[in-house]
Amino acid sequence: MNLSATEKDLMIVNMGPHHPSMHGVLHLIVTLDGEDVVDCEPILGYLHRGMEKIAENLTIIHYLPYVTRRDYLTTMFTKAITINGLEQLGNIQVPKRASYIRVIMLELSRIASHLLWLGPFRADIGAQTPFFYIFRERELVNDLFKSTTGMRMMHNYFHIGGVAADLPYVWIDKCLDFFEGIGVIGGEEAINWGLFGPMLRASGIKWDLRKVDHYECYDEFDWKIQWQKEGDSLACYLVRISEMTESMKIIQQFLEGISGVKKPSPTFELPRQELYARMEAPKGELIIFLIGDQSGFLWRWKIRPPGFINLQILPQLVKRMKLADIMTILGVLVIVWLEREISAGIQQCIGPEYAGPLGILQALADGTKLLFKESRGNTCLFSIGPAITVISILLSFSIIPFSSHLILSDLNIGIFLWIPISSIASVGLLMLGYGSNNKYSFLGGLRAAAQSISYEIPLTLCVLSISLRAIR
């Protein structure tokens, strides 16, 4: 940032990188005037697995187990939005009982997600003891999930046309037992920033997709949108707390009225049309965009998670705040860093080989598909990048002496040879970023290469020099 003559006394503080406590690095460059925050620049790390392109290169049935890995705190929702979109695209009807079970699982997942936010958030701002009580309650929800799905996380439970299995014996009684006895943002500003979920409702906007889009069976029972008008961090806290109470109310009503039978998941072809589907997830609107291709594959699969949409207002919220206030404001944003996987484009944009007789038109189809992606990538560079990245490891065996009698290079120049060899890994990282099909992947490649140059290579050189010295 450019500072005027009167601002030369400002101090720039690096908060982070926060690693390995977060998946990928979050680095805040904070400009301070004393303890007052003047500016804040969030720097994101690099982490993705190309979820969208995996979806476009697998059949629907094969891809379904992948979606639960996108957000490990709300796996029921990532599966639900996927299943809902496919059911709408294929015009598949879901039995009433299966829809009831889905709503119960979604609301339990909402409670578990909010609890996992509440415990660490209160610990971050100095309230350590509630962390353990909150996790005790979350364990009860995980026990309910485990007894139904067989897993505490990554629940592959929602299937096309219904759910994987009915509720086990006495599960409803256990679920009922679980419920017994026990930064300022204005509304207009929140809308202008495109905020979703509890952050929007804490600013006085009564907007909940369960009421607006009328999906599943939410309209059949009595529940209200939870909101506050203050718009500060406490309001966000109160909205999430009240949403958990409202989720309990919804679940209890559905448990009392559950009926119907199960329906097996069908195998089907998706029609050649577009679909925009959204769902009210714990952190806001979870959105997908699908384009069918009259086959078991999708032409396009685009995901828009809520977390990083809300992150954009962070620099605005922390200005003129105290340094200690950053953790409070950052905490109410509730970001899962693995959402970054799905916003990083992938690399190879090829689809199944079925275009034209014997696939002879597949090259033309691939080129046409690439034109409709976010940006152009270089498949060859992206394919070669990993090999270039690890080749320095293979070449290192020509430098590192195995013993005093097995030396493949002169020890006097070995240390100097290691410098160009180790730099090959950084070249590979740059090739991966440049060859990807997304600007965020490219920025990630630059940061990964810079990270390698800044401390990984010097550390390796230190270790090598000590080894060479010891052998001499």
Side-chain angles (χ1 to χ4, degrees):
M1 102 182 250
N2 297 324
L3 301 179
S4 63
T6 60
E7 296 177 318
K8 292 183 179 180
D9 293 335
L10 298 181
M11 179 171 56
I12 297 178
V13 176
N14 291 283
M15 294 188 67
H18 302 280
H19 181 76
S21 59
M22 293 180 180
H23 300 276
V25 180
L26 172 65
H27 177 194
L28 301 181
I29 302 178
V30 185
T31 304
L32 300 175
D33 182 6
E35 286 196 2
D36 296 326
V37 178
V38 177
D39 193 18
C40 174
E41 180 184 0
I43 306 297
L44 301 181
Y46 175 60
L47 175 66
H48 75 87
R49 300 194 191 110
M51 289 282 188
E52 294 169 346
K53 293 300 176 267
I54 292 176
E56 295 172 16
N57 287 273
L58 292 176
T59 65
I60 298 302
I61 302 301
H62 288 161
Y63 177 66
L64 288 181
Y66 279 85
V67 301
T68 57
R69 275 70 179 170
R70 290 208 309 260
D71 184 347
Y72 49 85
L73 300 186
T74 58
T75 58
M76 290 291 185
F77 284 90
T78 56
K79 193 64 174 289
I81 184 60
T82 303
I83 296 298
N84 281 186
L86 296 174
E87 288 169 347
Q88 294 178 42
L89 197 60
N91 195 24
I92 297 172
Q93 299 298 319
V94 180
K96 182 63 69 69
R97 181 178 181 86
S99 183
Y100 274 40
I101 293 175
R102 285 183 180 183
V103 170
I104 294 170
M105 294 301 174
L106 287 174
E107 295 308 316
L108 283 173
S109 182
R110 190 185 306 276
I111 294 173
S113 176
H114 287 336
L115 287 174
L116 190 54
W117 156 77
L118 179 59
F121 170 66
R122 298 191 69 172
D124 286 342
I125 60 177
Q128 186 67 43
T129 301
F131 177 88
F132 303 101
Y133 292 101
I134 291 168
F135 264 65
R136 179 194 63 187
E137 300 302 313
R138 184 174 178 271
E139 283 301 302
L140 299 177
V141 179
N142 284 338
D143 290 341
L144 291 172
F145 284 151
K146 184 178 180 180
S147 63
T148 307
T149 68
M151 293 175 285
R152 291 164 49 82
M153 298 176 65
M154 314 305 180
H155 316 288
N156 188 21
Y157 185 62
F158 287 15
H159 282 200
I160 299 172
V163 292
D166 201 354
L167 298 176
Y169 182 67
V170 303
W171 189 92
I172 294 179
D173 294 335
K174 291 181 179 180
C175 191
L176 290 172
D177 291 341
F178 174 69
F179 302 122
E180 290 183 359
I182 58 162
V184 179
I185 310 170
E188 183 178 354
E189 185 180 13
I191 294 175
N192 292 336
W193 279 93
L195 303 184
F196 290 143
M199 292 196 68
L200 180 63
R201 292 189 286 275
S203 302
I205 307 299
K206 296 183 181 179
W207 178 268
D208 192 310
L209 290 182
R210 292 173 291 178
K211 289 284 191 183
V212 175
D213 286 355
H214 311 287
Y215 60 84
E216 297 295 357
C217 304
Y218 282 103
D219 289 343
E220 297 185 12
F221 294 93
D222 178 33
W223 64 279
K224 298 179 180 179
I225 298 176
Q226 301 301 308
W227 64 286
Q228 298 286 329
K229 60 182 179 180
E230 290 79 10
D232 57 5
S233 297
L234 178 60
C236 295
Y237 166 86
L238 294 175
V239 166
R240 290 185 170 95
I241 296 299
S242 59
E243 279 198 352
M244 288 191 285
T245 303
E246 198 69 15
S247 292
M248 294 179 186
K249 177 181 175 182
I250 294 173
I251 295 172
Q252 287 174 324
Q253 293 180 78
F254 275 82
L255 288 172
E256 295 171 359
I258 192 168
S259 62
V261 295
K262 297 177 293 181
K263 178 180 178 181
S265 299
T267 301
F268 62 96
E269 291 186 355
L270 298 174
R272 193 185 300 274
Q273 65 184 55
E274 300 179 2
L275 176 76
Y276 172 91
R278 58 184 183 174
M279 175 174 288
E280 187 68 38
K283 292 185 291 296
E285 294 186 13
L286 179 59
I287 301 171
I288 63 171
F289 174 73
L290 309 176
I291 303 180
D293 200 20
Q294 204 65 43
S295 67
F297 296 86
L298 284 172
W299 171 272
R300 189 71 172 99
W301 188 303
K302 183 65 179 176
I303 307 164
R304 188 178 189 268
F308 284 97
I309 302 302
N310 293 338
L311 179 65
Q312 63 181 328
I313 200 174
L314 176 63
Q316 180 75 13
L317 292 178
V318 299
K319 285 183 179 179
R320 298 177 299 277
M321 297 289 107
K322 300 298 183 182
L323 179 63
D325 295 331
I326 292 181
M327 290 310 299
T328 301
I329 297 172
L330 181 62
V332 299
L333 294 180
V334 195
I335 301 168
V336 173
W337 304 108
L338 279 176
E339 285 183 357
R340 163 176 12 171
E341 322 173 333
I342 60 180
S343 58
I346 187 73
Q347 305 65 313
Q348 288 188 346
C349 296
I350 62 174
E353 296 183 359
Y354 60 86
L358 302 178
I360 60 175
L361 299 180
Q362 184 60 34
L364 179 60
D366 292 341
T368 304
K369 285 184 68 176
L370 186 59
L371 293 177
F372 286 95
K373 307 300 175 177
E374 293 91 342
S375 57
R376 298 189 181 187
N378 191 311
T379 304
C380 295
L381 281 179
F382 190 84
S383 301
I384 298 173
I388 300 298
T389 303
V390 302
I391 197 172
S392 60
I393 300 175
L394 301 178
L395 290 178
S396 66
F397 289 105
S398 65
I399 301 301
I400 300 176
F402 295 89
S403 68
S404 59
H405 304 289
L406 184 57
I407 300 176
L408 302 182
S409 65
D410 188 351
L411 294 179
N412 294 324
I413 64 173
I415 190 68
F416 299 102
L417 290 176
W418 182 261
I419 296 176
I421 288 177
S422 59
S423 65
I424 295 176
S426 303
V427 175
L429 293 171
L430 292 175
M431 291 175 63
L432 283 167
Y434 183 79
S436 66
N437 200 38
N438 187 280
K439 64 179 180 181
Y440 300 106
S441 301
F442 180 44
L443 293 175
L446 290 175
R447 291 184 181 123
Q451 184 184 46
S452 176
I453 295 171
S454 63
Y455 66 83
E456 291 176 0
I457 293 177
L459 178 62
T460 305
L461 290 174
C462 291
V463 174
L464 181 61
S465 62
I466 294 174
S467 301
L468 293 175
R469 183 68 179 177
I471 294 175
R472 293 295 298 271

